[in-house]
Amino acid sequence: DVKVTQSSRYLVKRTGEKVFLECVQDMDHENMFWYRQDPGLGLRLIYFSYDVKMKEKGDIPEGYSVSREKKERFSLILESASTNQTSMYLCASSPPGPLQPGELFFGEGSRLTVL
Amino acid sequence: QKEVEQNSGPLSVPEGAIASLNCTYSDRVSQSFFWYRQYSGKSPELIMSIYSNGDKEDGRFTAQLNKASQYVSLLIRDSQPSDSATYLCAVRGSRGSTLGRLYFGRGTQLTVWP
C-alpha cells in the first residue's frame, strides 16, 4: 500500500528556532513536494524535487529550504521559525510526469505552531 | 503564475441532490485536470482525473472538461452526507519544470444535509 510518512503530526516551536520536517515515501517516486495549507488560502507549494539532490522553488519558498539526499526522503527546513509560519504542512509524492497520471499521494500532515 | 479558480462556496445541498462544483483555469495549453477530496482534518485524496473534452463518469461522480472555455467541473449525483468535504480542483503544469507539479484552487466546501 502506498505510504507517505511525515515524522511529526504536531509540533510547537519558538520564534527563531530551526525546524526540521521530515517526509519519507516507500513508493520509489521521483517527485516529492512540500505544501502548506492555511484556511482560505488553499494548498500552496513551497518546494518540490524531481530527483535526488535537486530542488525547485514553488510559489512561496521564502523562509524555507529543503534537502533531498535520498530518493525516499524529502526534508523541509525552517532556518529561523516565525509566527507566520504557523500552518499545516503537507508532504506529497508522485510518479514522474508528464506521461504518468497526476496523482499526488499525501502524508497525514504536520501541524506546526510557532510561538 | 498559473491561476486556478473555484466557486468560493460553501455549497450546501440536501441528501439525494446533485452537487455541482466548478473550476476555471488560466493556462489554455493545460492538458491534465484533477479533482481531490479533502475531509476535515485529513489529507487530500484523488477522486477524478480528466484529460479530454467531454464527460468522464465514475460511479456517482462525473467530471466535465471544456478546454475552449478553460472550464472543468465535478458533478456529484445522489449526494450523501459522507460527500461533505472540501473539493480541490488541480491542473497540471504545461511546460518545462512545471510538468510534474499541480496547481490547486482554494477549494469549495460542500455540505450535504440529511
Side-chain angles (χ1 to χ4, degrees):
Chain A
D1 200 14
V2 164
K3 192 78 172 175
V4 178
T5 303
Q6 294 184 228
S7 56
S8 304
R9 291 295 307 276
Y10 301 94
L11 304 94
V12 179
K13 299 292 182 180
R14 298 211 172 270
T15 301
E17 280 192 78
K18 191 169 186 175
V19 182
F20 293 88
L21 299 178
E22 305 283 343
C23 176
V24 177
Q25 50 95 3
D26 64 0
M27 296 162 285
D28 202 34
H29 285 168
E30 275 76 8
N31 303 330
M32 296 189 75
F33 307 82
W34 274 106
Y35 290 89
R36 64 177 283 178
Q37 188 171 35
D38 301 286
L41 297 179
L43 279 166
R44 293 183 290 167
L45 183 63
I46 305 170
Y47 268 97
F48 59 111
S49 170
Y50 289 141
D51 203 350
V52 177
K53 303 277 189 184
M54 69 82 56
K55 60 186 178 185
E56 294 271 352
K57 291 180 179 179
D59 302 319
I60 52 164
E62 297 79 17
Y64 303 94
S65 62
V66 291
S67 173
R68 184 118 183 247
E69 296 295 320
K70 294 184 177 182
K71 188 176 184 180
E72 66 271 18
R73 186 180 297 271
F74 193 36
S75 302
L76 181 68
I77 303 156
L78 287 67
E79 293 289 343
S80 178
S82 63
T83 54
N84 63 12
Q85 292 178 310
T86 292
S87 186
M88 172 66 82
Y89 290 87
L90 289 165
C91 175
S93 71
S94 76
L99 298 180
Q100 297 291 335
E103 181 168 11
L104 293 182
F105 296 87
F106 286 89
E108 292 188 317
S110 298
R111 182 166 293 283
L112 171 66
T113 301
V114 182
L115 303 175
Chain B
Q1 179 79 10
K2 315 293 184 199
E3 295 288 336
V4 180
E5 301 284 343
Q6 295 185 241
N7 45 345
S8 56
L11 178 64
S12 181
V13 301
E15 185 174 355
I18 296 175
S20 177
L21 303 160
N22 303 313
C23 174
T24 60
Y25 58 94
S26 63
D27 186 354
R28 61 179 56 254
V29 300
S30 295
Q31 298 293 320
S32 306
F33 309 88
F34 308 90
W35 284 98
Y36 281 76
R37 176 177 62 200
Q38 186 174 24
Y39 292 115
S40 180
K42 299 293 186 182
S43 298
E45 57 179 339
L46 180 69
I47 54 171
M48 289 287 286
S49 59
I50 187 165
Y51 307 98
S52 303
N53 278 330
D55 295 359
K56 179 182 178 182
E57 190 173 315
D58 184 1
R60 296 184 295 109
F61 297 92
T62 300
Q64 300 175 316
L65 175 60
N66 183 327
K67 290 183 181 178
S69 300
Q70 295 174 232
Y71 176 92
V72 58
S73 66
L74 180 70
L75 300 179
I76 306 174
R77 293 184 303 281
D78 188 23
S79 295
Q80 301 296 310
S82 59
D83 295 325
S84 298
T86 296
Y87 290 81
L88 303 169
C89 174
V91 178
R92 178 188 280 275
S94 58
R95 48 183 72 86
S97 64
T98 72
L99 280 169
R101 65 162 290 183
L102 299 183
Y103 295 86
F104 284 89
R106 296 188 180 188
T108 300
Q109 185 177 339
L110 170 67
T111 299
V112 181
W113 44 276

